[in-house]
Amino acid sequence: MRVLLIHCHPRTESFSAALRDTARHALEAAGHQVECRDLYAEGFSPALSAAEHRDYLDPANHPPDVADHVTALQRADALLLVYPTWWYGMPAMLKGWFDRIWAPGVAFKLGDGAIEPLLTNIKRIGVVTTYGSPLWLLWVIGWPDKKLVSRGLKRLCARDCHLEWLMLTRMDQRQAPERAAFLAKVKARLSRW
């Protein structure tokens, strides 16, 4: 399976980077082809420009600086997102990746009264994330990042794919053994993809 792994964290020594590396090695050890895109390391520009927004509905006018990201998404069989959850959502850079890459003509097309999915090549979406909050608080506030992926991206663009959510809550209070246990859990789960 071709897995597109999108990582989004500004620091190379972060726990998120350790999660990225663990995920990548587990998937490769299981025989998958992994294309890892590190948005911060690449200097990805998340801002949708005025010109880009003006041409948003015209697939022929997608900006050339995102063409390689579009190609990677369209050839992937699976998508794995590795990021920290900040303020109950994805980092702004990752949200900007969705704004710029998952555009009409790439992720979906506007049909008669409905959105028609175009990313039917994606059979699996995985998320590996951390939260500073406890689990109960995520339920209280409505779990915004999970809703975006499960009710938005999955349903509208890759409707029939399987979604897997791996998370570590209360990240700021976790000690080294707990973080190591979560790395082991990620490795074990992704080894079975």
Side-chain angles (χ1 to χ4, degrees):
M1 182 165 57
R2 290 180 304 272
V3 181
L4 176 59
L5 191 164
I6 302 295
H7 178 247
C8 190
H9 195 288
R11 292 177 32 214
T12 58
E13 79 286 0
S14 67
F15 184 62
S16 185
L19 289 169
R20 174 203 59 213
D21 294 344
T22 298
R24 181 178 195 163
H25 296 312
L27 290 166
E28 288 174 343
H32 303 297
Q33 179 185 351
V34 180
E35 180 174 354
C36 185
R37 305 300 298 258
D38 188 321
L39 299 181
Y40 276 95
E42 291 181 24
F44 179 79
S45 176
L48 192 65
S49 70
E52 193 174 347
H53 186 265
R54 189 176 307 108
D55 294 334
Y56 187 72
L57 296 176
D58 184 359
N61 288 326
H62 287 162
D65 70 313
V66 299
D68 61 328
H69 281 271
V70 168
T71 300
L73 183 62
Q74 290 175 328
R75 73 174 162 239
D77 301 310
L79 174 67
L80 180 65
L81 305 171
V82 180
Y83 64 89
T85 302
W86 295 332
W87 284 103
Y88 310 107
M90 299 173 175
M93 186 174 286
L94 183 55
K95 176 61 172 68
W97 183 78
F98 284 109
D99 291 345
R100 296 193 69 212
I101 308 305
W102 289 56
V106 175
F108 61 91
K109 69 179 180 177
L110 299 174
D112 295 332
I115 291 178
E116 298 177 31
L118 293 180
L119 291 175
T120 55
N121 53 298
I122 296 179
K123 303 301 181 203
R124 182 179 287 265
I125 296 176
V127 172
V128 177
T129 190
T130 57
Y131 297 90
S133 304
L135 182 59
W136 68 265
L137 187 54
L138 296 174
W139 286 107
V140 168
I141 62 148
W143 220 325
D145 63 324
K146 191 169 186 180
K147 282 183 181 175
L148 173 66
V149 175
S150 65
R151 296 183 185 178
L153 303 177
K154 180 181 179 292
R155 183 174 292 162
L156 297 177
C157 303
R159 191 173 294 146
D160 296 325
C161 73
H162 174 75
L163 175 63
E164 185 161 8
W165 203 271
L166 299 168
M167 64 180 184
L168 181 65
T169 59
R170 298 183 304 105
M171 177 61 197
D172 303 328
Q173 301 165 12
R174 298 292 183 164
Q175 301 300 315
E178 294 170 299
R179 292 191 305 271
F182 185 61
L183 287 170
K185 178 181 178 178
V186 168
K187 179 180 179 182
R189 291 281 283 278
L190 295 180
S191 294
R192 294 191 300 267
W193 263 34

